[in-house]
Amino acid sequence: MSGTVAAVSSNGEYSFTKPNRESITLLTGLGVAGDVHAGVTVKHRSRVAQDPTQPNLRQVHLIHEELFAEVGERGFAVAPGQLGENVTTRGIDLLGLPVGTLLRIGAEAVVEVTGLRNPCLQIDRFQDGLLKEVVGRDEAGNVVRKAGIMGVVRAGGVIRPGDPIEAELPEGPHRPLDRV
């Protein structure tokens, strides 16, 4: 399974959106250099309030560009970085990957997939009604989260728009993604 990097984004301040960059640097075991969510332990405000010593399984947020087209058909205008992701992808089924998948991005970077982003109410503050578009239910009543995936940096490196992404699936049996 493969795809490409459509955009890269980071922000050194707490903000819902992240400005696009020419490149970002992933740091092994930490996340995106200069990004507010980089670190060994949790940085997301609600998780810090619960237990600041928890490991940071959300060092890098990846979201598929195809989601923007999907919500665009329902009247929402979303561009790369606006949902707080670090890496916007194209052509790879992020949501279908199992836990532990290694994403080889560009020449050196490797991100291990840890789980699904659990979208919060900030999405509705960004655009009213958007949360219902990125979190829903399937025919069986199961919650479906479409706002991207999270991962940890296993090998650092610089990544840029246009870089290839190669997915290396873990040994089976595969565990489906759950929220982290």
Side-chain angles (χ1 to χ4, degrees):
M1 202 180 304
S2 63
T4 58
V5 175
V8 294
S9 310
S10 66
N11 198 339
E13 299 176 10
Y14 279 105
S15 173
F16 182 70
T17 62
K18 295 185 182 208
N20 295 153
R21 309 287 182 191
E22 290 182 20
S23 67
I24 57 173
T25 301
L26 300 187
L27 303 173
T28 304
L30 294 173
V32 179
D35 192 82
V36 71
H37 291 104
V40 174
T41 56
V42 292
K43 301 300 174 197
H44 195 272
R45 288 178 173 167
S46 66
R47 292 167 192 266
V48 169
Q50 291 173 357
D51 178 2
T53 66
Q54 295 176 73
N56 187 2
L57 301 178
R58 301 165 55 100
Q59 294 174 356
V60 182
H61 176 203
L62 301 95
I63 200 165
H64 50 297
E65 182 181 61
E66 293 82 359
L67 178 64
F68 303 155
E70 182 183 323
V71 300
E73 291 173 4
R74 293 178 183 82
F76 296 94
V78 181
Q82 289 187 322
L83 295 183
E85 76 276 9
N86 301 111
V87 180
T88 309
T89 67
R90 178 181 301 131
I92 186 167
D93 180 13
L94 296 177
L95 303 178
L97 298 172
V99 173
T101 298
L102 297 179
L103 297 174
R104 299 185 184 285
I105 307 172
E108 299 174 314
V110 178
V111 173
E112 181 180 342
V113 176
T114 56
L116 294 168
R117 175 189 185 188
N118 191 30
C120 63
L121 288 174
Q122 288 186 48
I123 290 177
D124 271 350
R125 288 187 207 128
F126 171 66
Q127 287 186 41
D128 190 43
L130 185 57
L131 182 61
K132 287 184 181 179
E133 299 299 324
V134 299
V135 178
R137 295 200 179 268
D138 63 15
E139 294 86 27
N142 300 311
V143 174
V144 176
R145 293 173 178 85
K146 298 188 276 186
I149 64 172
M150 308 304 286
V152 295
V153 180
R154 293 297 180 217
V158 176
I159 60 174
R160 297 174 177 82
D163 279 351
I165 304 170
E166 294 293 328
E168 182 183 317
L169 301 179
E171 297 286 326
H174 293 160
R175 289 187 307 135
L177 298 177
D178 198 3
R179 64 188 175 123
V180 291

